[in-house]
Every structure is written in structure tokens, then in C-alpha cells.
Amino acid sequence: MANNHTGNMSVTVLGCPITKMGLDDFVSSAERFISSKAPHYIAMMNVAKLVKMRSDKELAQSILAADLIGADGVPLVWASRLFGTPLPGRVNGTDLMYRLLERASEKRYRIFFFGAKEAVLQRVLEVVRQEYPGVQIAGSQDGYFTSAEELAIVNKIRLAEPDILLIAFGTPKKELWVKRYLAAMGVPVIHGVGGSFDVMAGVVRRAPLWMQRSGLEWFFRLLQEPGRMWRRYLVTNALFVLLVLREWLRLHFSVVEPKATRRYVREEKEEK
């Protein structure tokens, strides 16, 4: 797996390098990746994932090896400003998916759609045919399969020869899939879109724009799915605030760096 995000300007937030580019630049980079025909991976970083990767080595390895890492969350942008290394803004994974679809419709790129339930996936394909008529649908595969079927799916994707692969799994399933099969699939642009297929299919509503811009999109999702999301958001958000505070104190008052941070940075260096 390539590791090119350090070739771009990047900002480190709690040990994770985040690409210092806006949404337009991500789309332009994706087009360069398509021209190169070599496999590339665009990872999205949010608060929950940043906290989780500190204790999940495989997840951290996958993300740190990505070619681009987007700040998929306003709190990460706020943290970068607090640390004196501001990011230009967030790069939301769903927004990037829609922008890639727009560009693919203009340039007639081939896209493979991978993930979600079969009914949701079919609705996504309907929407793409209606709203992005220039997109060449290279193929599709739902997200419900056994480990014994994985290699057949990898082969299916490779033979379809897509320019872009959209993977609609949760974390860490999509990151571990890319870690295992990036080279074997051979797709120029792989973008892990998480639950974005559910949004496109109308199964899940997105937060109003003002909530997205205010860093409250997580709260909107919590209200929709409290039973499933309360731990992810309330617990991880609290841990994130604590980690940011500790890092800010370390930077400004030379407070001893927390053991968790030291361990994470040490593992990152060893991987490099």
C-alpha cells in the first residue's frame, strides 16, 4: 500500500497525519490517481476513528498507509487550530463521494459500488443512473458475505476494472479490507464511504447544513440511532476532548506527554 499523504502537506492531530487539502484538491488528486492507473486509498478520519486507532494497531496501520487522509469532522479542524497547525476545513466522506460521482459523470469514469444491504445498494444504483447518467457502473456487490467469499469478490472487482471503488462498510471493516486487498484489487481510487449509501438511498437522513458546519452532525445521528450510537459518540467524544486538552497542555506548558500518546507515536514510527 502506498503511503503518499506525507508527500502532500499534512497536519498531525494527536499522532495522525491529516492531509492539508480541501475538498476540491481531493477530487483533483483522485483524477491524478486515475490517470496513474496505480492503486490508491483515500481514508477519512473522524473523532471516533482517531480514538479507536490508538488501541487498534491494524486500523492504525491501514489509515497511516493511505495516500490521502481527510478530516471528516469539524472537531478535528478545531483541534488543528488549537495546536497552531490549522487545516483548511473538513473533507466529509459523503461530500467527497458525491463530488466523485459528479466528476465521474462528466468524465465517464467507471465506478464499482461495494457494501450495504442489497435493497439499499440497488436503490443507490437507481439514483446514480438517474442523477449521474455519465457514470459507468462497473459492477456492484452488497456488504454481506463470508470470509470464504472474499477472494472471489476481490477477483470480481479486479476483473471489472473500475476507476473508482466506493466501499460502504463501517470501521474497521472497510479499513481492514483495504489493508488486505488494495494491491490485489488494483483500483486507482478507493474511497471508504461508510454509511453514505444509506444516505443516498434515503434510509438515513443527513444533519441540516448548519449542524454539519457547527460540528454537531454527530448529535443528529445520535438522536436518530441512540441505542447504537450513544457509546461511539458520547464516550469517544469525551476521550477526544481529554486527549486534546492533554496535548494542548503539553504544547503550552511542557506537561509530560500521556503514556497513550507516547505509545501511539512510537508504534507509528516503528511502522514507518
Side-chain angles (χ1 to χ4, degrees):
M1 188 181 293
N3 185 2
N4 297 328
H5 59 79
T6 52
N8 302 287
M9 291 182 64
S10 64
V11 169
T12 300
V13 178
L14 299 178
C16 180
I18 299 176
T19 308
K20 193 175 181 181
M21 293 182 352
L23 188 58
D24 289 341
D25 294 321
F26 268 70
V27 175
S28 297
S29 294
E31 289 210 87
R32 289 195 295 274
F33 296 161
I34 290 170
S35 297
S36 77
K37 299 189 181 302
H40 296 82
Y41 171 38
I42 300 174
M44 292 290 114
M45 179 55 57
N46 56 31
V47 167
K49 201 179 299 185
L50 185 59
V51 171
K52 183 175 178 58
M53 68 187 283
R54 299 171 74 85
S55 59
D56 188 330
K57 188 173 182 179
E58 276 198 294
L59 175 63
Q61 288 173 338
S62 175
I63 293 170
L64 293 172
D67 297 276
L68 299 174
I69 302 176
D72 190 2
V74 174
L76 298 181
V77 178
W78 290 342
S80 71
R81 292 171 182 168
L82 188 66
F83 298 152
T85 52
L87 288 161
R90 78 169 190 163
V91 178
N92 175 265
T94 302
D95 292 339
L96 179 58
M97 179 187 75
Y98 284 126
R99 290 292 300 277
L100 289 174
L101 285 166
E102 290 172 4
R103 191 59 55 88
S105 188
E106 294 167 6
K107 301 290 186 71
R108 300 188 68 79
Y109 291 143
R110 295 172 57 79
I111 300 184
F112 194 104
F113 297 82
F114 185 18
K117 296 178 180 178
E118 183 62 29
V120 171
L121 181 59
Q122 291 306 315
R123 176 57 187 152
V124 166
L125 297 179
E126 288 176 13
V127 173
V128 170
R129 292 186 184 105
Q130 292 167 6
E131 300 185 10
Y132 306 96
V135 170
Q136 305 299 296
I137 297 176
S140 64
Q141 169 68 46
D142 67 55
Y144 293 81
F145 52 86
T146 66
S147 57
E149 296 172 303
E150 289 188 6
L151 292 181
I153 293 171
V154 169
N155 194 47
K156 178 180 178 180
I157 294 169
R158 181 178 59 80
L159 292 176
E161 297 185 342
D163 300 301
I164 299 170
L165 171 64
L166 301 177
I167 304 183
F169 300 165
T171 296
K173 185 178 178 180
K174 64 178 176 295
E175 289 84 7
L176 299 185
W177 177 278
V178 174
K179 183 174 183 287
R180 294 188 196 105
Y181 300 124
L182 176 75
M185 292 184 297
V187 182
V189 175
I190 296 176
H191 174 32
V193 301
S196 298
F197 284 7
D198 288 338
V199 173
M200 179 176 265
V203 176
V204 173
R205 289 185 300 139
R206 272 193 92 179
L209 198 56
W210 71 267
M211 293 188 82
Q212 295 179 39
R213 291 173 174 169
S214 303
L216 293 172
E217 193 165 13
W218 67 272
F219 186 64
F220 186 83
R221 287 202 65 192
L222 178 62
L223 292 176
Q224 289 189 88
E225 301 179 89
R228 191 168 75 89
M229 293 294 184
W230 75 269
R231 180 174 177 81
R232 168 180 169 179
Y233 287 126
L234 298 185
V235 176
T236 57
N237 284 5
L239 286 171
F240 177 75
V241 170
L242 177 62
L243 290 166
V244 168
L245 177 60
R246 286 178 172 176
E247 181 66 6
W248 185 83
L249 289 171
R250 186 186 70 82
L251 290 171
H252 288 79
F253 300 102
S254 299
V255 173
V256 175
E257 192 174 7
K259 290 181 180 179
T261 305
R262 292 201 302 270
R263 183 182 69 249
Y264 179 77
V265 172
R266 183 173 65 251
E267 288 176 355
E268 179 188 343
K269 288 179 179 177
E270 287 173 356
E271 289 301 322
K272 290 180 180 178

